[in-house]
Amino acid sequence: MLSAFSLLKEKNLSVHLVETSDALIRQQEETLCAVTLVGNAIKESKSKSGVPIFWYKTLDDVPEQFSVFVANEFLDALPVHQFCRESDGLWHEVYINIDKTGELCFMRSKGENLHTRIIHNGGFGLIIDYGHDGSRKDLSFRSYQKHEQVNPLSQPGATDLTADVNFGYLKSLIVDRAIVYGPNTQRDFLAQLGAQVRLRKLLKSCSDREKQEALIKSYNFLMGDMGERFLAMSIFPKTLSGILEKRGGPAGFAQNRSTASRNEKAN
């Protein structure tokens, strides 16, 4: 291609390469250019036929003007997710693992999850987490350190990274195969379980004022802003549908039952 450029009458042609590897930049210049520049930060040179060549770390750095883009064996080098379908019709993601001898090997994801275990073996599931019902539109990825929100890119490994769970989407994946209650706010869930009654009993049995204040503070923490931001969802096998319907729903998810007011606080 560079040789063909020299045959064109257009003299304003130039080549702009996007390459993140300094080692490959040096190798490319040795191959394409008549003179090799010394150093890691190679920015500009000329081909053997005199065509200017520029190197950039990102496409955003390339000047915006009329361009001809050539991507040779580029897309196939990007990270991929590979899946295979078993005879039972289930899809499994293919991972790279290390076998017993320490060699790399391929492995399939088991394809088994919480709700399939509940369906086949019985039991139930309770999920409580930061989340929303699917209506949230903004990004929720964030980081905490000592209960304070911090930059998620600062101090890697030393902060608690979190993102809100889309309970609406999670529910849609399993609602046709299992019974799903919720998501309810943590406040409503704990109120139905008798959190305030439990607090009163603890306060009555405790004579230490400092401990009483700590109990009240913890209660308000769980039932306040945290009680709204945390959601709870439960999963049951469909074989229990009749029993659960007669009871009006499981504890914490009872239907048509009044719950604590959003502004209710212990004093």
Side-chain angles (χ1 to χ4, degrees):
M1 183 182 294
L2 290 177
S3 299
F5 280 175
S6 62
L7 302 177
L8 300 176
K9 295 181 179 181
E10 176 60 55
K11 300 301 182 182
N12 293 323
L13 291 174
S14 59
V15 175
H16 300 260
L17 302 177
V18 178
E19 177 58 67
T20 60
S21 169
D22 290 336
L24 289 179
I25 289 176
R26 290 195 298 271
Q27 184 177 345
Q28 291 161 3
E29 187 177 29
E30 290 174 359
T31 303
L32 301 176
C33 302
V35 179
T36 301
L37 299 181
V38 179
N40 293 329
I42 298 174
K43 296 293 184 181
E44 179 180 354
S45 190
K46 283 189 177 183
S47 72
K48 297 173 183 178
S49 57
V51 177
I53 301 179
F54 302 85
W55 280 266
Y56 304 90
K57 291 292 185 179
T58 68
L59 182 61
D60 292 337
D61 296 330
V62 179
E64 294 188 10
Q65 55 191 18
F66 180 84
S67 305
V68 176
F69 292 93
V70 178
N72 181 36
E73 295 189 10
F74 170 71
L75 297 178
D76 68 324
L78 298 178
V80 298
H81 291 274
Q82 185 167 290
F83 296 83
C84 65
R85 192 173 188 177
E86 299 291 349
S87 57
D88 57 6
L90 295 178
W91 287 93
H92 301 263
E93 187 166 6
V94 179
Y95 299 134
I96 295 177
N97 201 358
I98 299 178
D99 62 20
K100 295 180 180 180
T101 65
E103 297 294 326
L104 293 176
C105 66
F106 290 105
M107 65 166 286
R108 296 183 181 91
S109 63
K110 293 183 178 180
E112 188 179 61
N113 49 46
L114 184 148
H115 81 275
T116 57
R117 294 288 293 270
I118 291 174
I119 293 171
H120 296 146
N121 302 322
F124 61 90
L126 175 63
I127 303 172
I128 303 176
D129 217 321
Y130 283 106
H132 58 92
D133 60 4
S135 59
R136 179 166 185 161
K137 303 301 181 183
D138 57 331
L139 301 177
S140 65
F141 177 63
R142 57 196 181 278
S143 178
Y144 291 93
Q145 187 177 53
K146 297 180 180 179
H147 304 293
E148 296 291 335
Q149 189 167 339
V150 297
N151 186 338
L153 302 182
S154 66
Q155 304 181 60
T159 61
D160 181 18
L161 302 178
T162 183
D164 286 359
V165 176
N166 186 339
F167 278 90
Y169 176 70
L170 186 63
K171 183 175 182 177
S172 70
L173 296 177
I174 58 177
V175 70
D176 61 329
R177 287 164 286 177
I179 305 173
V180 182
Y181 286 90
N184 290 0
T185 64
Q186 176 178 273
R187 179 187 297 118
D188 290 346
F189 173 71
L190 294 177
Q192 286 195 29
L193 292 179
Q196 192 171 63
V197 175
R198 176 62 175 166
L199 174 65
R200 289 172 181 169
K201 289 184 177 181
L202 290 174
L203 292 175
K204 188 175 181 179
S205 63
C206 177
S207 58
D208 188 308
R209 183 56 186 172
E210 186 174 336
K211 291 182 179 180
Q212 288 180 339
E213 291 178 352
L215 287 170
I216 294 173
K217 182 178 180 180
S218 297
Y219 174 87
N220 289 334
F221 178 76
L222 292 174
M223 303 294 281
D225 181 60
M226 192 67 70
E228 189 71 22
R229 297 176 65 184
F230 267 71
L231 298 183
M233 188 174 79
S234 61
I235 306 170
F236 293 85
K238 287 194 172 183
T239 53
L240 295 179
S241 60
I243 297 175
L244 292 171
E245 287 177 5
K246 289 181 180 179
R247 297 184 58 181
F253 299 91
Q255 301 168 357
N256 301 321
R257 182 181 295 182
S258 61
T259 59
S261 168
R262 290 191 173 189
N263 298 319
E264 186 178 56
K265 285 189 175 183
N267 297 307

